[in-house]
């Protein structure tokens, strides 16, 4: 979950809509997340490289999930092979600057936005202004500073397959606030009459993520003061 404060948009994957009508499918994305969140890296079942020492597997995994939701793949090994492939099918949904190029820890193999929470967040916040067509992320809801305090998320807007960024150390008026963690929304439960606190309401949103290989963790239990929710689309 290391932070990266430098962002190189030209190095980040842009998955483009094409004649195959590529589209992000949330149900496929969450299937990928819940099927693969606890697999060991660099294994037969999961060839993706562990980037925890050079970035963070939380964002690594979130980007795998987005890619799976776009390419219609729920198996880690199959997704890895697809991203490394030069087949016509893969070229149809990727440009020449891909998320993930090889199973080696290197700046030339995974872009900084693939493996760093803050660079991925920066990409998401600016993706709708891309000159070329490609995967974008729309802001769904966020904690907002109002009259010196953070207002809560609009939970009614959150859907499965959304990407959540969390800033655990947010300080009002701080000059170095940046997100620390990336997670995938894998369940949204209806609010009940006994959800009387904000934390209880937040816990209806369930997250799956890596770094701690966790699934269906309540958003309220993450204890992050600043939260941003984005939705991938093409």
């Amino acid at each position: 979950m290391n932070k990266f404060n430098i962002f190189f948009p030209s190095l980040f994957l842009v998955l483009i809509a094409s004649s195959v009508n590529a589209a992000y499918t949330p149900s496929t994305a969450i299937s990928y997340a819940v099927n693969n969140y606890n697999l060991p890296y660099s294994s037969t079942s999961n060839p993706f490289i562990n980037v925890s020492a050079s970035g963070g597997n939380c964002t690594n995994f979130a980007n795998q999930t987005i890619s799976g939701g776009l390419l219609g793949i729920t198996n880690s090994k199959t997704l890895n092979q697809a991203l490394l492939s030069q087949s016509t099918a893969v070229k149809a949904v990727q440009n020449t600057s891909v998320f993930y190029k090889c199973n080696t820890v290197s700046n030339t193999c995974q872009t900084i936005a693939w493996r760093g929470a803050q660079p991925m967040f920066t990409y998401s916040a600016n993706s709708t202004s891309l000159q070329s067509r490609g995967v974008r992320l729309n802001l769904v809801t966020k904690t907002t500073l109002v009259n010196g305090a953070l207002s809560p998320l609009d939970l009614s807007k959150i859907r499965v397959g959304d990407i959540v960024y969390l800033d655990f150390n947010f300080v009002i008026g701080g000059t170095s606030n940046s997100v620390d963690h990336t997670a995938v929304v894998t369940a949204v439960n209806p609010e009940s009459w006994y959800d009387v606190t904000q934390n209880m309401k937040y816990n209806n949103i369930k997250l799956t993520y890596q770094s701690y290989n966790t699934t269906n963790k309540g958003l309220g239990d993450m204890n992050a003061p600043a939260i941003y929710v984005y939705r991938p689309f093409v």
Side-chain angles (χ1 to χ4, degrees):
M1 296 193 298
N2 294 354
K3 303 175 195 175
F4 292 84
N5 294 315
I6 301 173
F7 176 60
F8 303 100
S10 63
L11 295 179
F12 190 68
L13 168 68
V14 177
L15 296 169
I16 62 171
S18 68
S19 59
V20 297
N21 296 319
Y24 180 73
T25 306
S27 59
T28 304
I30 63 172
S31 291
Y32 184 92
V34 299
N35 287 340
N36 299 283
Y37 75 94
N38 60 350
L39 293 181
Y41 280 97
S42 303
S43 63
T44 301
S45 58
N46 181 19
F48 281 100
I49 197 74
N50 187 328
V51 300
S52 60
S54 62
N57 282 324
C58 62
T59 307
N60 175 7
F61 182 70
N63 276 314
Q64 290 174 44
T65 300
I66 293 171
S67 299
L70 181 63
L71 296 174
I73 297 172
T74 61
N75 176 273
S76 179
K77 182 176 181 179
T78 304
L79 179 63
N80 183 267
Q81 293 171 339
L83 291 176
L84 302 185
S85 172
Q86 295 302 305
S87 69
T88 302
V90 172
K91 286 182 178 180
V93 294
Q94 295 179 333
N95 75 353
T96 56
S97 182
V98 298
F99 274 22
Y100 191 98
K101 294 181 179 179
C102 56
N103 295 324
T104 303
V105 177
S106 164
N107 286 336
T108 62
C109 284
Q110 306 95 33
T111 64
I112 192 170
W114 172 275
R115 64 186 187 219
Q118 179 61 32
M120 177 61 179
F121 171 71
T122 302
Y123 174 85
S124 300
N126 293 282
S127 63
T128 55
S129 63
L130 289 174
Q131 294 298 311
S132 60
R133 295 175 63 196
V135 65
R136 292 162 167 78
L137 294 96
N138 268 336
L139 178 64
V140 174
T141 182
K142 66 177 181 177
T143 51
T144 306
L145 193 62
V146 178
N147 297 325
L150 285 174
S151 64
L153 302 172
D154 184 346
L155 300 180
S156 68
K157 294 182 177 180
I158 300 176
R159 303 286 183 267
V160 295
D162 289 349
I163 305 299
V164 178
Y165 300 100
L166 303 107
D167 184 349
F168 297 120
N169 304 300
F170 181 85
V171 176
I172 294 175
T175 58
S176 59
N177 292 322
S178 60
V179 300
D180 306 284
H181 192 37
T182 315
V184 182
V185 177
T186 46
V188 177
N189 296 329
E191 186 175 317
S192 300
W193 63 269
Y194 54 82
D195 292 330
V196 294
T197 68
Q198 195 64 58
N199 254 27
M200 294 173 72
K201 293 176 182 179
Y202 273 29
N203 274 338
N204 288 314
I205 308 300
K206 304 297 183 181
L207 306 178
T208 296
Y209 55 89
Q210 282 190 337
S211 294
Y212 295 103
N213 294 2
T214 301
T215 190
N216 285 333
K217 174 88 167 185
L219 176 59
D221 290 338
M222 300 299 288
N223 297 313
I227 305 170
Y228 312 84
V229 183
Y230 279 81
R231 182 168 301 148
F233 72 100
V234 289

